[in-house]
Amino acid sequence: ESRPHLQLPEAMRAHSLTASTLIGDTKIPVPPLMFTKGQGEELIAISYLGGDLCGHVGIIHGGLLATMLDEGLARCCFAALPNRVGVTARLEVDYRRPCKSEEFVVLKARTEKVEGRKAWVRGRVEVLRMGKDGEVRVSPWEDRGEVLVEAEGLFVEPKWAKVRGIFGVET
């Protein structure tokens, strides 16, 4: 488990959409908690989405959900790429139902295929399930919860990625 956004140097974090701009008491109050499986195989991220992230009152903006999927799918496959960094080449997003604000969601991602510097990844955002006992239930990739949005993406490691530390952090 980790909170990757907190690992960015403060000077970089201040200029990051997902590590700074979207973080705040009424936005994303706590950076997402992420769990990974294998070397770029799967990722699960739990996030709380506040009321100031809406497109319509009470409904999270679709662009924010697309941003979450872009970040989550990319982070999922990074460890499977030769130099552990990539950029989005294609992202296709399908919205299934509205995402309510002021609720927890789970982003699940799975790397489907890796060929050299390219990785194909699928993912989705689901409502976080609570058990009858009040415990949080995060099901594995195979179990589909209440799906809000799904995505498929292609991520490519740039040729310059062999230069380590180009972003101020180890790649």
Side-chain angles (χ1 to χ4, degrees):
E1 80 184 62
S2 70
R3 294 188 190 273
H5 294 93
L6 296 180
Q7 296 172 9
L8 283 174
E10 187 61 40
M12 285 181 61
R13 196 179 316 156
H15 301 284
S16 170
L17 174 68
T18 55
S20 177
T21 307
L22 295 174
I23 301 296
D25 290 344
T26 57
K27 300 174 188 173
I28 301 173
V30 178
L33 182 60
M34 296 189 183
F35 302 86
T36 57
K37 176 182 172 186
Q39 292 296 307
E41 294 172 35
E42 293 183 10
L43 174 138
I44 291 178
I46 301 171
S47 301
Y48 180 83
L49 305 178
D52 285 349
L53 300 171
C54 297
H56 297 283
V57 176
I59 305 295
I60 297 297
H61 193 286
L64 175 74
L65 297 170
T67 298
M68 288 176 60
L69 283 159
D70 184 28
E71 288 277 315
L73 272 61
R75 192 167 298 281
C76 178
C77 72
F78 280 179
L81 294 172
N83 292 289
R84 302 173 56 91
V85 66
V87 296
T88 309
R90 182 184 63 79
L91 183 68
E92 184 176 323
V93 179
D94 294 312
Y95 298 93
R96 301 296 179 207
R97 56 182 56 159
C99 178
K100 296 177 186 173
S101 65
E102 300 181 6
E103 290 193 1
F104 284 93
V105 295
V106 178
L107 184 148
K108 296 178 181 180
R110 173 182 271 178
T111 302
E112 298 291 322
K113 180 171 76 169
V114 178
E115 290 180 1
R117 297 183 304 112
K118 296 180 181 180
W120 288 263
V121 188
R122 288 187 315 140
R124 61 184 179 263
V125 175
E126 302 175 356
V127 173
L128 182 64
R129 294 189 224 175
M130 300 292 280
K132 292 180 183 176
D133 56 2
E135 293 291 317
V136 172
R137 303 280 190 249
V138 179
S139 58
W141 171 262
E142 295 78 19
D143 295 341
R144 293 176 66 85
E146 182 182 343
V147 177
L148 304 169
V149 59
E150 296 178 289
E152 293 184 4
L154 169 61
F155 299 86
V156 178
E157 180 179 274
K159 292 179 181 176
W160 50 256
K162 289 182 182 181
V163 178
R164 296 184 63 81
I166 194 161
F167 296 114
V169 294
E170 282 298 306
T171 56

